[in-house]
Amino acid sequence: MGLDEDFHQLATDFPEALLALLSGPLGMPYRGSSPELKASTRRVDAVLEPEGHDGPSYVVELYAYHHDDALRNLLEKLVGYCRQTGRWGQVEAALIFTRASFAEGLLPVDVELSTTLRFAPMCLVLPDVSPEALLEAAGSQAWVALVALPLIGSEAQVIENSRSWLDQLRAVAPPGQRPEAVELFLRLLAARLSGKLDVRNLLVDR
């Protein structure tokens, strides 16, 4: 699996982790998916939709490279999603970058596209996110935020704390979700620190 597939699984199986990264409304149920837009046959990297409440939906694109048309691509997918689902009210858009250099040259945007749709995308650079701040913000959902920790902070922070994060995840994740959570954590860790940390050393419970 590549990072795109792992990110799709994070959104689908652990939507609260992605919601925490986006500073969304934790404590309310969300459903995650990576839907195909039928009009264009293009796929959205991640969509978070509220279940049983009127919170906002989120349309998210992940970039592990620099893309000159990242904003236009996100806008097209946002509009495509709204047309396909009929949701034109509370829909937020976000760009997530795996490195700060990939977001260089990106200008802030805040445009009223219609009376029911505003395009003011959040721009999130994963290494700039503090692991401690994410866990604190996640509150009662901190266990699921642990799954996303290999994606954020500096590489030095990840190398130093990966063992303790994994131990915490094994200790607090619900038994029914623990195997998938641990497996995804390790895959994200291996992708982030390829060649810099032997993830196999973390596979044995202490």
Side-chain angles (χ1 to χ4, degrees):
M1 280 192 175
L3 180 58
D4 283 347
E5 289 80 6
D6 291 338
F7 185 74
H8 296 164
Q9 184 181 353
L10 181 71
T12 302
D13 294 349
F14 305 99
E16 295 87 356
L18 183 53
L19 198 63
L21 281 171
L22 298 173
S23 301
L26 296 172
M28 295 188 288
Y30 268 80
R31 174 180 64 255
S33 64
S34 178
E36 181 179 284
L37 301 176
K38 297 181 177 62
S40 63
T41 69
R42 301 171 73 191
R43 186 171 295 279
V44 183
D45 284 342
V47 168
L48 301 179
E49 297 175 307
E51 291 194 299
H53 59 92
D54 60 357
S57 295
Y58 295 85
V59 173
V60 185
E61 286 291 292
L62 173 73
Y63 283 97
Y65 53 90
H66 180 79
H67 194 309
D68 289 335
D69 292 325
L71 278 170
R72 185 175 69 178
N73 181 57
L74 177 63
L75 175 59
E76 290 175 351
K77 291 187 177 182
L78 172 66
V79 173
Y81 167 79
C82 292
R83 285 175 174 165
Q84 182 165 301
T85 62
R87 288 183 62 93
W88 291 93
Q90 290 183 288
V91 184
E92 305 287 345
L95 289 171
I96 297 180
F97 296 94
T98 58
R99 292 184 186 175
S101 60
F102 299 152
E104 287 181 357
L106 200 67
L107 299 175
V109 175
D110 191 344
V111 179
E112 294 284 347
L113 298 175
S114 70
T115 57
T116 56
L117 184 62
R118 177 185 175 195
F119 184 56
M122 174 191 303
C123 178
L124 184 69
V125 176
L126 292 176
D128 292 344
V129 180
S130 162
E132 295 79 12
L134 180 66
L135 291 176
E136 182 177 353
S140 62
Q141 298 292 324
W143 83 263
V144 77
L146 284 163
V147 180
L149 291 186
L151 291 170
I152 66 176
S154 67
E155 287 190 354
Q157 286 177 300
V158 176
I159 291 172
E160 179 181 355
N161 294 292
S162 56
R163 174 80 255 183
S164 64
W165 291 342
L166 180 58
D167 288 345
Q168 290 178 63
L169 182 59
R170 284 171 166 157
V172 300
Q177 294 175 279
R178 187 178 301 143
E180 292 80 8
V182 168
E183 180 185 358
L184 181 56
F185 177 96
L186 291 171
R187 287 207 311 270
L188 292 172
L189 186 66
R192 176 79 187 276
L193 299 176
S194 177
K196 299 177 182 178
L197 180 70
D198 190 349
V199 175
R200 292 172 298 178
N201 293 334
L202 304 178
L203 295 175
V204 180
D205 286 311
R206 293 191 301 187

